[in-house]
Amino acid sequence: MSGSLPPRERLVEADLAEQLSVSRTPLREALQQLESEGFAERLLGGGLVVAGLDEPDLKNLLWLRLVLECELAREVARFATPADVADLTRILDQMEPVSDHPPLFIELGRGFHDRLATIFGNERCRVVLRQVRQHSDRYWNLTTAHQPERTVLAAAEHRAILAAIRSHDEETAVKRMRAHILAETEVCLAAVRATQVDRDSSVPNEAAAS
């Protein structure tokens, strides 16, 4: 999720075992789990690579997040207690000072959304949403590399969602969550396209090479 292993990089057991100082058995189990959760992909000729990042995948994640998180915001706004609001506020109070440290900011942002699911009380929703957000975080890391100012904007969007929840304004909570997810997806799409352009420009021109 951090991007330390770039998309499409081969995952070679022997090399990873040496780098991570672990035996092959637990490493193989970890790779199988990563493959089952969609973070690694198996090549037709055998072997694993880090899952790619592309527009169709990002748009699929957008659809899932809109369905899950907008309704989640509605439900939490309906019955959030003062204690729930205080918990969410504490998370945001921790997020804003670390806006220039994307990995920590992302971790706290995930905690904010996870806390919404916990307040809602639907454990299946929380598990599914956590997996969706883990995939989204891979794009988020790419985004902050291209647009580091995005963290400041995201912090303000979280505050707007919380304000609607505090006032039990269900429709506004939905609108602000939707705006947050759409804004995040738009900058992620821009980052994916920029990365694709950079990658294409680095490929030698076959006609010139010949």
Side-chain angles (χ1 to χ4, degrees):
M1 287 181 286
S2 69
S4 57
L5 295 176
R8 314 310 300 174
E9 178 166 319
R10 281 184 173 270
L11 298 170
V12 181
E13 283 187 19
D15 294 343
L16 290 171
E18 181 178 354
Q19 293 169 19
L20 301 172
S21 299
V22 296
S23 63
R24 298 282 285 274
T25 299
L27 176 63
R28 188 173 296 116
E29 292 173 353
L31 290 173
Q32 289 172 349
Q33 182 176 343
L34 289 171
E35 182 182 6
S36 70
E37 294 179 1
F39 293 103
E41 298 173 352
R42 189 164 298 279
L43 299 172
L44 291 178
L48 289 173
V49 296
V50 177
L53 298 174
D54 55 47
E55 287 193 38
D57 180 55
L58 179 55
K59 289 177 179 178
N60 287 338
L61 289 171
L62 165 67
W63 187 87
L64 284 170
R65 289 192 61 193
L66 286 174
V67 169
L68 288 171
E69 298 204 60
C70 286
E71 286 307 308
L72 190 59
R74 183 193 305 279
E75 294 296 328
V76 173
R78 181 177 301 166
F79 58 77
T81 67
D84 294 329
V85 172
D87 285 344
L88 293 168
T89 301
R90 278 193 291 271
I91 295 172
L92 297 189
D93 288 344
Q94 293 174 319
M95 283 179 67
E96 290 166 348
V98 297
S99 60
D100 56 346
H101 297 282
L104 182 53
F105 184 90
I106 291 170
E107 180 181 350
L108 289 167
R110 192 186 312 131
F112 177 85
H113 290 267
D114 189 64
R115 182 60 188 159
L116 291 177
T118 300
I119 293 170
F120 180 38
N122 186 321
E123 180 61 19
R124 288 189 180 276
C125 175
R126 190 178 72 85
V127 171
V128 172
L129 181 58
R130 177 175 292 180
Q131 186 174 11
V132 170
R133 284 201 58 81
Q134 286 175 335
H135 283 278
S136 297
D137 287 348
R138 298 183 66 221
Y139 289 93
W140 235 105
N141 277 295
L142 181 64
T143 296
T144 54
H146 284 265
Q147 297 187 29
E149 71 280 2
R150 176 59 197 154
T151 55
V152 176
L153 297 174
E157 291 161 8
H158 282 100
R159 285 287 181 186
I161 294 167
L162 179 56
I165 290 173
R166 181 184 291 110
S167 61
H168 300 288
D169 187 338
E170 298 173 32
E171 293 306 317
T172 299
V174 170
K175 290 177 182 178
R176 289 177 176 172
M177 179 64 80
R178 181 178 179 82
H180 167 60
I181 295 171
L182 289 174
E184 184 175 304
T185 302
E186 188 60 35
V187 293
C188 285
L189 279 170
V192 168
R193 291 164 182 159
T195 301
Q196 181 64 53
V197 170
D198 292 343
R199 186 165 55 245
D200 291 345
S201 65
S202 66
V203 176
N205 186 292
E206 293 183 4
S210 62

